[in-house]
Amino acid sequence: GPLEEMSIPLFFAWFLLSSVQDKVGSTSLDFLKTLQTLEAFKKHMSDFKAEKEVDLEQYFEAKGVLHCTTKFCNYGKAEGAQEYAQKQAVKDFYGSTSELSLSALFVTPRTVGARVSLTEEQLLLWPADAEKEAESVPAAASLPLGSRAHITLGCAEGVEPVQTGLDLLEILALQQEGQQGELVEEMALGSLTFYGKGRWLLSLREPICAPACFSGYYT
Ligand code: A2P
């Protein structure tokens, strides 16, 4: 009935605890600041539709409280939302805290995000079709479960946050096809690889450990 429908949130996610929100936010800003000073980045600046300088800090807009979406439900209207909300694991883990491992940061002309490497336990909350639903990245269907897991750190003007996971899948699909990318340099945070078309991936030397609470987002 209508009451049941109302109890399904806009989306389910792990929400980073406030203590770590600032830390991840500032690591992301540091990365953007450093990236735009690199000659290799300047060389490919036109990918960002900018003729001269692009200030990445201005280019990307933050999107509120940092989180890793498991299932976009649209209050029950999205495909598979009801089934997801009723999963035993969703009920069991609702309100519980676990540690997310942020293993990479990535930038494209559309989004900036962090890749999240999920544990076996966290994968119990991952929808089986999350990767297959990415219609714009057909090759994503054959990527391992959880490949799409990410935190949106910012979006370019007019870009919806759903794009961040698609951008990540695009990079992972290239890797799976055997495209190594161009190793650009070893930064303090890790190694930076360029995949063409403005796609940059920084594999973190030390993954960032971010405690997060699994919950639903309403309003
Ligand atoms: P993300 O998880 O990359 O941040 P919106 O504000 O557009 O309604 O989206 C709410 C949240 O749900 C955002 O976190 C967004 O992206 C995610 N999201 C929106 N649409 C989808 C979708 N179709 N599939 C997966 N996640 C989505």
Side-chain angles (χ1 to χ4, degrees), residues 10-11 67-69 71-72 133 148 150-152 160-165:
L10 179 61
F11 62 93
H67 62 273
C68 174
T69 303
K71 175 69 185 173
F72 180 73
E133 274 181 3
R148 189 174 178 170
H150 69 280
I151 295 169
T152 295
E160 297 291 329
V162 65
Q163 186 61 45
T164 318

Side-chain angles (χ1 to χ4, degrees), residues 180-199:
Q180 305 291 308
E182 175 193 333
L183 179 63
V184 173
E185 70 179 71
E186 295 295 337
M187 297 170 65
L189 284 169
S191 46
L192 179 70
T193 308
F194 180 56
Y195 288 92
K197 297 186 186 164
R199 297 168 295 193

